[in-house]
């Protein structure tokens, strides 16, 4: 009698194992549904198979519509060009993507900066089953690091990034590229003469006027920048169509 009571029966053990598996499944389901990070699972061809509610909310697209798209259709660079070639190249080279800065445009026109993480899902130690991607909204952070706080223009970091991209693009597409450099003469003297507050307002007004003439391509891709205290470079990626007014 004691042995019978101390040794669990096979049926009870199977029942406990089934209960554990069921509880784990419930935990995974809860984590998937309530995870605040947008999560995407694709097949080996990057076609989206499953998304969580956070992904549908971030992209502004219903889950049923997202699962009919390729993950490569969703992302673009700062300029707005699709990332169809960049993401596969990175995956092929490194096997994963971590902290990759990219951008999305929602159907309502809102443009967001996001950080993309992608890892390969491999079964049987060799067969690629698909990709698991996580997307974080980093819009506020990106605007902060690429924007001059006084004028709202792109800062030096934004200029260097845009210049590298535009030079490469001009070389590949055999297009012209223009660069204007606005340097205010004796600005330090004017600072002492009229005061910093007055000169700050002048810089803001100048920034607004230049931006009206050469508007940004999108909220994350200005073409007028502030390099230093009184220097403002302007990138003309279409100099044939930009009319400079003096």
């Amino acid at each position: 009698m004691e042995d019978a009571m101390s040794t669990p029966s096979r049926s009870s053990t199977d029942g406990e194992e089934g209960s554990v598996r069921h509880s784990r499944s419930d935990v995974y389901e809860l984590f998937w549904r309530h995870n605040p990070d947008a999560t995407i699972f694709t097949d080996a061809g990057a076609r989206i198979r499953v998304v969580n509610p956070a992904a549908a909310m971030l992209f502004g697209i219903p889950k049923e519509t997202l699962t009919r798209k390729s993950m490569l259709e969703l992302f673009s660079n700062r300029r707005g060009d699709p990332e169809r070639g960049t993401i596969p190249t990175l995956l092929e080279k490194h096997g994963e993507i971590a902290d990759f800065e990219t951008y999305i445009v929602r159907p309502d026109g809102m443009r967001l900066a996001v950080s993309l993480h992608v890892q390969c899902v491999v079964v049987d130690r060799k067969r690629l089953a698909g990709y698991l991607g996580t997307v974080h909204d980093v819009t506020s952070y990106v605007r902060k690091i690429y924007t001059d706080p006084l004028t709202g223009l792109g800062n030096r970091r934004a200029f260097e990034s845009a210049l590298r991209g535009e030079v490469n693009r001009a070389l590949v597409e055999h297009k012209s590229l223009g660069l204007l450099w606005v340097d205010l003469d004796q600005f330090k003297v004017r600072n002492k003469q009229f005061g910093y507050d007055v000169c700050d307002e002048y810089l803001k007004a100048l920034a607004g006027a230049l931006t009206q003439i050469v508007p940004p391509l999108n909220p994350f891709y200005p073409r007028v920048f502030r390099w230093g205290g009184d220097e403002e470079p302007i990138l003309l990626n279409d100099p044939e169509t930009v009319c400079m007014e003096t």
Side-chain angles (χ1 to χ4, degrees):
M1 177 66 72
E2 291 180 359
D3 290 342
M5 292 181 64
S6 60
T7 304
S9 66
R10 187 178 188 86
S11 61
S12 65
T13 303
D14 291 343
E16 290 174 0
E17 290 178 353
S19 177
V20 170
R21 285 196 298 269
H22 182 69
S23 63
R24 285 177 179 172
S25 176
D26 290 343
V27 170
Y28 294 150
E29 179 69 17
L30 285 171
F31 177 77
W32 179 261
R33 288 185 176 276
H34 298 286
N35 183 5
D37 294 329
T39 308
I40 299 169
F41 179 72
T42 78
D43 61 18
R47 181 69 56 179
I48 298 173
R49 295 305 182 192
V50 186
V51 299
N52 69 344
M57 183 176 297
L58 177 67
F59 288 97
I61 301 174
K63 290 191 291 183
E64 298 76 13
T65 305
L66 272 176
T67 51
R68 293 196 294 266
K69 292 180 174 290
S70 166
M71 183 174 68
L72 305 180
E73 299 176 32
L74 301 177
F75 303 101
S76 60
N77 60 21
R78 288 185 66 221
R79 195 182 194 283
D81 301 323
E83 296 279 22
R84 293 189 184 94
T86 307
I87 293 175
T89 300
L90 290 173
L91 285 172
E92 183 177 354
K93 183 177 181 180
H94 303 290
E96 64 178 4
I97 294 176
D99 299 321
F100 178 64
E101 179 189 310
T102 183
Y103 298 80
I104 65 173
V105 181
R106 292 161 45 98
D108 59 10
M110 182 182 295
R111 188 179 295 268
L112 301 175
V114 297
S115 177
L116 177 64
H117 305 253
V118 181
Q119 60 187 38
C120 300
V121 178
V122 178
V123 295
D124 300 329
R125 297 185 179 182
K126 58 181 180 180
R127 184 172 66 86
L128 178 64
Y131 301 98
L132 182 65
T134 306
V135 189
H136 303 273
D137 183 355
V138 293
T139 302
S140 298
Y141 171 74
V142 167
R143 282 180 174 157
K144 181 178 180 180
I145 66 171
Y146 283 120
T147 303
D148 174 62
L150 175 64
T151 62
L153 298 175
N155 59 16
R156 183 179 296 202
R157 177 183 292 186
F159 171 71
E160 291 174 344
S161 174
L163 182 61
R164 284 194 300 268
E166 289 301 331
V167 168
N168 291 334
R169 182 171 177 270
L171 291 173
V172 170
E173 299 182 2
H174 304 287
K175 291 187 175 180
S176 57
L177 175 66
L179 175 62
L180 300 180
W181 203 277
V182 179
D183 188 358
L184 304 178
D185 292 337
Q186 299 184 341
F187 190 70
K188 291 182 179 179
V189 176
R190 299 292 180 260
N191 261 327
K192 294 180 180 180
Q193 182 179 2
F194 298 108
Y196 289 99
D197 290 341
V198 172
C199 289
D200 282 352
E201 292 302 317
Y202 175 77
L203 285 175
K204 293 178 186 178
L206 176 63
L210 292 175
T211 303
Q212 284 188 341
I213 299 171
V214 188
L217 292 180
N218 64 60
F220 294 103
Y221 204 85
R223 292 189 291 174
V224 182
F225 307 83
R226 187 182 182 199
W227 177 263
D230 58 354
E231 296 176 296
E232 298 182 346
I234 303 173
L235 266 180
L236 300 180
N237 44 19
D238 53 349
E240 297 88 351
T241 60
V242 175
C243 177
M244 296 299 298
E245 300 177 2
T246 59

